[in-house]
């Protein structure tokens, strides 16, 4: 038989065990009510709806410590407003759930890349940790695929857009796939003081550049050639066990004075209501002159000379090296496209200044026939647009944008290069009827944009 003292001790022990069990259950219950994430990175303009596992936030009172940085709706949708940090709080009864939000200006690691078939490239969004979940997609899987981690693999020649989507914002990289490693140009003509940056398509780093004559042309570690004085130099790109060479001729056209007559082929395109018609007819009955350096000389009052002067006038608005990327968009009244981004938008703006309201005509064959100032050439396997400023016997001089993310004037592109990588030429020299222009205006909003 237990004594009274022993009974009291047993009762106290039972009460203690019960209290311990209740405390454990209480801890377990509230431990399960933990918010899913305490830290969040948002892009400027990005949105994300947050939640807490096991907790209803329907009646929560939401607030932001810095509304200029991040705002939140009554349903927990957070929007990044500008770069900075803010705390988002959801109060449910006496309990508060807090998210530490960092808003950043995110960008893709590169917005333009060239790969050889079988090559690969790792893309990422700068500003996010490697563990952050990003949605990756390819616009053309037969050209390039992309993994859930942003690894791009080149499948076949052509171009594709790799898009990264995060918190409602999309970031794009234009990928061009070539069958093999090659230089962007095998021959160039540059005036003294001019420059051109070579690209070794398909290479993924580790390129060594050299010049055969520093007195004629130099080249830096990034492949940028600078013309020094008249002459010829061989620029070499050494990649692995292979060497790729571009022959650079430096000459000053201002020193040439001899004029000679030269027959050229003039191309006329039959317009089909501003559509992408490829009906081409040619004749060789027209003649122009060239100087001894091969540059085509047009009569002083010609449309070509007027276009040239207008194009050169844009050098003050868009100086050499000015930043101009796919973030820059321009509308167009030439037809075929509604407008363009980056390189295409730049060409469209200059084209409108020269030719509006004339409608554009496109040809996809005989690309080098009858090229004139103001014509737009689509190069690099349909991934880059340039506008012609000068014409020579076997090459053209162009202006372009989104070329290494900037504006560039004076690059020489050979006819061989145009024939090899070009896909179409757009011209606007033919006058358009009022009916055709009016018809375009009625459908212009339905036309696609060009990148």
């Amino acid at each position: 038989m237990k004594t009274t003292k022993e009974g009291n001790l047993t009762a106290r022990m039972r009460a203690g065990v019960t209290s311990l069990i209740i405390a454990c259950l209480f801890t377990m219950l509230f431990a399960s009510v933990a918010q899913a994430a305490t830290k969040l990175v948002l892009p400027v303009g990005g949105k994300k709806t947050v939640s807490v596992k096991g907790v209803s936030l329907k009646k929560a009172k939401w607030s932001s410590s810095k509304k200029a940085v991040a705002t939140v709706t009554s349903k927990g949708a957070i929007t990044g407003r500008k770069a900075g940090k803010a705390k988002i709080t959801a109060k449910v009864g006496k309990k508060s759930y807090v998210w530490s939000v960092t808003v950043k200006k995110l960008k893709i690691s590169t917005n333009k890349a060239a790969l050889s078939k079988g090559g690969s490239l790792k893309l990422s969004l700068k500003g996010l940790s490697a563990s952050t979940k990003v949605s990756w997609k390819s616009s053309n899987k037969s050209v390039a695929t992309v993994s859930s981690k942003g690894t791009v693999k080149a499948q076949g020649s052509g171009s594709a857009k790799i898009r990264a989507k995060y918190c409602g914002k999309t970031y794009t990289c234009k990928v061009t796939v070539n069958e093999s490693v090659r230089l962007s140009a095998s021959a160039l003509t540059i005036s003294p003081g001019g420059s051109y940056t070579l690209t070794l398509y398909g290479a993924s780093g580790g390129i060594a550049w050299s010049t055969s004559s520093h007195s004629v042309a130099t080249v830096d570690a990034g492949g940028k050639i600078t013309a020094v004085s008249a002459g010829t130099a061989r620029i070499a790109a050494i990649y692995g066990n292979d060497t790729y060479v571009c022959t650079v001729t430096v000459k000053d056209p201002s020193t040439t004075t001899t004029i000679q007559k030269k027959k050229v082929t003039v191309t006329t395109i039959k317009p089909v209501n501003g559509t992408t018609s490829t009906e081409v007819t040619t004749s060789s009955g027209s003649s122009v002159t060239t100087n001894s350096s091969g540059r085509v000389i047009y009569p002083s009052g010609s449309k070509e000379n007027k276009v040239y002067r207008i194009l050169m006038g844009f050098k003050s608005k868009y100086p050499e090296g000015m930043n101009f990327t796919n973030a820059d968009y321009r509308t167009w009244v030439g037809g075929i496209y509604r407008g363009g981004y980056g390189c295409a938008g730049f060409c469209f703006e200059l084209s409108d200044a020269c030719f509006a309201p004339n409608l554009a005509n496109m040809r996809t064959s005989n690309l080098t026939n009858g090229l004139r100032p103001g014509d737009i050439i689509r190069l690099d396997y349909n991934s880059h647009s340039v506008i012609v400023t000068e014409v020579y016997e076997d090459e053209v001089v162009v202006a372009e944008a989104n070329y290494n993310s900037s504006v560039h004037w004076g690059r020489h592109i050979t006819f061989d290069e145009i024939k090899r990588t070009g896909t179409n030429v757009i011209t606007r020299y033919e006058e358009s009827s009022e009916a055709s222009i009016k018809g375009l205006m009625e459908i212009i909003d339905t036309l696609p944009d060009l990148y």
Side-chain angles (χ1 to χ4, degrees):
M1 182 174 179
K2 292 183 179 179
T3 63
T4 302
K5 188 175 182 180
E6 288 175 331
N8 291 338
L9 178 61
T10 300
R12 286 198 300 272
M13 289 176 65
R14 286 175 178 172
V17 170
T18 301
S19 298
L20 180 60
I21 291 172
I22 292 173
C24 290
L25 288 173
F26 184 89
T27 301
M28 291 173 64
L29 175 63
F30 283 91
S32 66
V33 185
Q35 65 186 67
T38 57
K39 293 183 179 180
L40 175 64
V41 176
L42 275 179
V44 174
K47 296 181 180 181
K48 185 175 179 64
T49 300
V50 294
S51 60
V52 178
K53 186 178 181 180
V55 177
S56 174
L57 300 178
K58 289 183 178 181
K59 295 183 179 181
K61 292 183 178 181
W62 295 89
S63 63
S64 170
S65 63
K66 290 184 180 180
K67 292 182 179 179
V69 174
T71 57
V72 62
T73 69
S74 60
K75 294 183 179 181
I78 304 172
T79 300
R81 298 298 179 183
K82 72 173 186 177
K85 294 184 177 182
K87 290 187 182 299
I88 300 298
T89 303
K91 191 171 183 181
V92 182
K94 294 183 178 181
K95 191 167 182 64
S96 296
Y97 302 90
V98 181
W99 288 264
S100 180
V101 178
T102 301
V103 180
K104 296 181 177 181
K105 291 182 178 180
L106 302 181
K107 64 178 183 178
I108 199 164
S109 51
T110 180
N111 61 13
K112 193 173 184 180
L115 296 173
S116 59
K117 186 177 180 180
S120 63
L121 171 71
K122 180 67 172 71
L123 293 175
S124 63
L125 290 185
K126 291 184 176 181
L128 295 181
S129 66
S131 60
T132 303
K133 188 176 180 180
V134 177
S135 173
W136 294 92
K137 287 186 178 180
S138 170
S139 66
N140 192 340
K141 293 181 180 179
S142 65
V143 172
T145 58
V146 62
S147 72
S148 60
K149 299 294 184 181
T151 299
V152 179
K153 291 187 177 180
Q155 305 295 333
S157 60
S159 62
K161 290 183 176 68
I162 305 299
R163 295 185 175 92
K165 192 171 184 180
Y166 176 70
C167 292
K169 297 284 286 184
T170 301
Y171 307 84
T172 304
C173 173
K174 186 193 304 180
V175 175
T176 302
V177 178
N178 306 288
E179 290 297 331
S180 59
V181 177
R182 65 175 183 84
L183 275 175
S184 55
S186 58
L188 294 169
T189 300
I190 313 176
S191 301
S195 64
Y196 175 86
T197 301
L198 286 171
T199 299
L200 189 60
Y201 291 126
S204 57
I207 306 168
W209 298 90
S210 65
T211 177
S212 64
S213 178
H214 287 86
S215 63
V216 174
T218 61
V219 62
D220 66 14
K224 182 179 179 180
I225 301 168
T226 301
V228 179
S229 62
T232 302
R234 286 162 56 86
I235 304 298
I238 303 170
Y239 181 65
N241 296 321
D242 298 314
T243 301
Y244 306 85
V245 177
C246 174
T247 301
V248 176
T249 301
V250 179
K251 58 183 179 182
D252 187 354
S254 65
T255 62
T256 60
T257 56
T258 305
I259 301 296
Q260 59 185 3
K261 287 289 181 178
K262 184 75 177 181
K263 286 280 186 176
V264 296
T265 301
V266 177
T267 302
T268 305
I269 303 164
K270 182 179 178 181
V272 186
N273 297 326
T275 64
T276 57
S277 168
T278 58
E279 185 177 351
V280 179
T281 59
T282 62
S283 67
S284 56
S286 181
S287 65
V288 294
T289 59
T290 63
N291 61 18
S292 61
S293 66
R295 181 182 174 184
V296 176
I297 305 299
Y298 300 99
S300 60
S302 66
K303 177 67 173 177
E304 291 86 350
N305 262 346
K306 180 181 178 182
V307 169
Y308 174 77
R309 290 194 299 271
I310 293 172
L311 292 174
M312 291 301 100
F314 274 90
K315 278 191 169 183
S316 58
K317 181 177 181 179
Y318 296 118
E320 177 73 22
M322 177 179 174
N323 185 261
F324 201 112
T325 68
N326 277 343
D328 297 287
Y329 177 81
R330 300 291 187 272
T331 56
W332 197 37
V333 298
I336 304 177
Y337 300 102
R338 182 175 69 98
Y341 293 87
C343 59
F346 176 80
C347 292
F348 289 167
E349 180 179 348
L350 272 60
S351 174
D352 273 348
C354 296
F355 299 105
N358 289 359
L359 301 185
N361 296 290
M362 178 189 288
R363 68 175 181 268
T364 57
S365 61
N366 302 317
L367 300 187
T368 59
N369 286 2
L371 287 170
R372 290 185 278 181
D375 287 347
I376 298 173
I377 309 174
R378 189 69 172 173
L379 294 169
D380 294 342
Y381 307 98
N382 199 30
S383 66
H384 187 61
S385 296
V386 300
I387 189 165
V388 176
T389 58
E390 300 173 45
V391 180
Y392 286 75
E393 293 177 272
D394 56 2
E395 64 182 6
V396 293
V397 180
V398 303
E400 58 200 315
N402 201 18
Y403 178 81
N404 295 330
S405 300
S406 61
V407 173
H408 185 63
W409 297 85
R411 178 156 70 106
H412 290 245
I413 301 175
T414 65
F415 283 1
D416 286 341
E417 180 75 8
I418 294 171
K419 291 174 181 176
R420 186 166 59 85
T421 73
T423 54
N424 63 69
V425 171
I426 293 174
T427 187
R428 295 173 72 180
Y429 273 89
E430 187 166 336
E431 296 292 331
S432 301
S433 68
E434 291 185 11
S436 296
I437 296 169
K438 183 179 179 180
L440 171 66
M441 292 301 103
E442 292 175 354
I443 65 166
I444 194 166
D445 288 337
T446 67
L447 299 176
D449 290 321
L450 181 64
Y451 284 81

